[in-house]
Amino acid sequence: HNSGHNTNNEGYLYPDTPMISHAFHDAGYRTAHLGKLHLAQCATAGSQACDDWCRAAGWDDAMPLHGKAWSCVYGEDQYDAYLRWLATTDKLEAFRQDYRERSFGWMFPEVKRRPPGYAAPSPLAPEEHQDGFITRKACEWLAQVDGTQPFFCWVNWGGPHDPWDAPG
């Protein structure tokens, strides 16, 4: 209530709201946000509007991704780096079908939904799973940091979060 961001996962945080990213950026740090971005619901993750929001929020580098529900239901492959990458592995539809059956089946009445709280391994290998992708991208970002400038790298994984789909 103090930040103006509501507490029920709706709305978005205005980029001029004081955030830790501003503090580090203003102190001369190179800043990066990698992974799930749940602050800028005003813009599709990876779109130009979202990139503009990230820059205004103090992030020099950003790879914002959709959360789990958004990825399977509304994810726009042309914007989301994970969905674009997953499509190159021929696993995108298996991923979406698995999520539809898990906890988001109510959005797809034609799909047989699994019981609430269903947990089972993801059909994706660890390196194909969203958390594995985010970790790999964070490692790549850290590997290219030259060490002459201080840096702040914020990494947000999608899990643990329903659907409960850790890799096998």
Side-chain angles (χ1 to χ4, degrees):
H1 67 280
N2 289 333
S3 70
H5 189 254
N6 69 43
T7 58
N8 64 356
N9 272 348
E10 300 296 328
Y12 58 92
L13 192 64
Y14 293 101
D16 59 351
T17 302
M19 289 182 267
I20 195 169
S21 50
H22 291 121
F24 277 104
H25 183 269
D26 293 349
Y29 283 64
R30 181 174 170 191
T31 58
H33 178 286
L34 305 168
K36 180 180 175 184
L37 179 65
H38 209 329
L39 301 173
Q41 286 99 327
C42 59
T44 299
S47 68
Q48 186 62 52
C50 189
D51 290 347
D52 293 345
W53 184 94
C54 288
R55 275 190 295 286
W59 302 109
D60 296 311
D61 302 312
M63 184 195 69
L65 300 178
H66 300 297
K68 290 183 170 193
W70 198 268
S71 293
C72 78
V73 180
Y74 305 110
E76 298 179 52
D77 304 355
Q78 74 268 24
Y79 295 126
D80 188 288
Y82 174 65
L83 297 177
R84 282 196 321 269
W85 175 81
L86 195 57
T88 70
T89 69
D90 296 325
K91 298 284 181 88
L92 180 61
E93 285 312 310
F95 160 78
R96 285 190 166 147
Q97 183 62 29
D98 181 57
Y99 273 20
R100 288 176 185 135
E101 291 175 6
R102 285 177 187 263
S103 62
F104 305 112
W106 61 270
M107 296 178 184
F108 304 95
E110 72 281 4
V111 175
K112 182 178 183 205
R113 184 172 181 212
R114 307 233 174 139
Y118 174 81
S122 170
L124 305 178
E127 65 275 6
E128 298 167 338
H129 193 270
Q130 187 184 55
D131 290 350
F133 177 81
I134 292 167
T135 299
R136 187 168 54 256
K137 291 300 182 181
C139 290
E140 290 171 5
W141 189 88
L142 290 169
Q144 58 80 40
V145 171
D146 68 11
T148 61
Q149 179 184 17
F151 65 88
F152 173 67
C153 182
W154 182 300
V155 182
N156 286 338
W157 291 272
H161 191 293
D162 70 326
W164 312 115
D165 68 332

